[in-house]
Amino acid sequence: MKISLKKIKPHLQRKIRRVFQESSPSSLVLQKPDEASGFCVPSPWIGRFDSEADFLRAREQHPKLFDVFSSIDDHLLNSRHPQNFPTLCLVCGSVETTLVNWAYVGTSPEGSVNPAWTETSVCSKCGLNSRMRALLAFILQHPDYARSARCYLAERATVSWPEFSRRFAELESSEFLGPEHRPGEKIFVPRVAALVRHEDLTRLSFADNSFDWVVTQDVFEHIPDYPAAFRECARVLRSGAGGGGVLVFWFPFFWIWGFPRAAPGPAG
């Protein structure tokens, strides 16, 4: 949720700004997340942080802010059974029923049980969870989006693929199907009953300047040599005087895990 001050009468704008300037440190901002670093009032879930250190500084300034999350979860979800909620799905463009379950949960030191909101709230119409919907909605609302644009989606056997295929006329997609395969090779995958392209994000088979968009979801955290993957994404994206292509990627952020959780073994 965001406040648009442009839609508020001038005298109320001044009052709102004065209230927040007097009562809130600078890390709380009454702006869009792309305009300043910090939490975006009134929703502590929305914010922009340019580094982990930036996020930790903001969190230290507001040590009780995360109690807000737990309080809302505890009062909103009065049962640990799956529950349906009406939600505005920006992908479907309509209010749909979404299912919240407890497949991935976290427990606070005080005992609050918090569902993984990014992985749940699955839309009954398009089948996308909240993070998938947020990512695709971001793309569809982006000024560079056009149905005719060339898009590479680094997944094929997921519920996101049908929604992307409906919105990009030129869509390439792939999965990592094992180190024994060559980049660009197509393998039949029974789960989707189709030939699926194999790609390794650190050595893509596409030519330079092949795409206007490159999109990954929950991929980079599984790649030990992620700098090479970023270089490959940059290589295959459009470049030139008219403006470059767009890389959109999602990966999980756990502020409590400030250490490597895995490392490549002898077999890679």
Side-chain angles (χ1 to χ4, degrees):
M1 182 181 292
K2 295 177 285 190
I3 290 178
S4 176
L5 292 182
K6 294 180 180 179
K7 297 179 180 179
I8 302 174
K9 292 182 179 180
H11 73 281
L12 291 178
Q13 290 186 26
R14 292 191 294 271
K15 183 176 181 181
I16 290 172
R17 289 189 187 279
R18 185 172 63 253
V19 167
F20 281 101
Q21 286 170 356
E22 292 173 353
S23 62
S24 303
S26 60
S27 61
L28 284 177
V29 294
L30 199 64
Q31 296 172 315
K32 293 187 296 183
D34 60 348
E35 292 178 340
S37 173
F39 297 110
C40 187
V41 174
S43 173
W45 288 277
I46 300 175
R48 168 187 165 180
F49 302 98
D50 298 321
S51 67
E52 181 183 10
D54 192 14
F55 170 80
L56 292 176
R57 278 193 297 272
R59 186 173 181 276
E60 287 172 1
Q61 290 178 333
H62 310 286
K64 295 294 185 181
L65 188 58
F66 279 62
D67 293 344
V68 175
F69 307 160
S70 294
S71 177
I72 292 174
D73 289 349
D74 289 341
H75 288 84
L76 178 64
L77 302 173
N78 54 15
S79 170
R80 300 310 181 211
H81 295 287
Q83 299 177 58
N84 288 308
F85 292 91
T87 302
L88 173 61
C89 177
L90 295 179
V91 171
C92 298
S94 55
V95 174
E96 303 294 338
T97 299
T98 59
L99 178 67
V100 175
N101 62 31
W102 300 88
Y104 305 96
V105 300
T107 305
S108 73
E110 293 75 24
S112 294
V113 180
N114 310 111
W117 289 108
T118 57
E119 301 301 320
T120 186
S121 191
V122 176
C123 177
S124 59
K125 185 176 180 180
C126 66
L128 303 187
N129 63 25
S130 59
R131 66 171 172 82
M132 295 173 180
R133 296 199 307 274
L135 182 141
L136 184 49
F138 170 82
I139 293 172
L140 297 177
Q141 295 169 5
H142 195 280
D144 287 351
Y145 168 73
R147 192 176 184 279
S148 59
R150 302 163 299 166
C151 179
Y152 169 49
L153 176 67
E155 56 188 79
R156 171 61 178 87
T158 68
V159 293
S160 285
W161 181 83
E163 296 300 327
F164 272 83
S165 67
R166 280 191 278 271
R167 289 165 173 84
F168 284 98
E170 295 187 52
L171 179 69
E172 283 283 1
S173 59
S174 71
E175 294 282 347
F176 181 79
L177 299 173
E180 68 275 16
H181 298 293
R182 302 184 313 276
E185 181 181 353
K186 293 187 176 180
I187 300 96
F188 182 78
V189 176
R191 183 156 63 96
V192 293
L195 289 171
V196 174
R197 185 182 189 122
H198 165 78
E199 290 290 349
D200 179 344
L201 216 60
T202 64
R203 51 191 190 103
L204 295 170
S205 65
F206 305 112
D208 297 357
N209 304 306
S210 291
F211 302 105
D212 304 299
W213 292 83
V214 170
V215 182
T216 76
Q217 300 183 94
D218 283 358
V219 173
F220 281 100
E221 71 272 20
H222 299 286
I223 304 175
D225 191 7
Y226 61 86
F230 278 115
R231 287 192 295 270
E232 278 293 271
C233 290
R235 180 183 66 79
V236 301
L237 277 169
R238 180 190 75 235
S239 61
V246 183
L247 168 64
V248 180
F249 60 95
W250 170 283
F251 57 83
F253 171 63
F254 297 98
W255 62 269
I256 58 173
W257 289 344
F259 56 88
R261 299 183 63 210

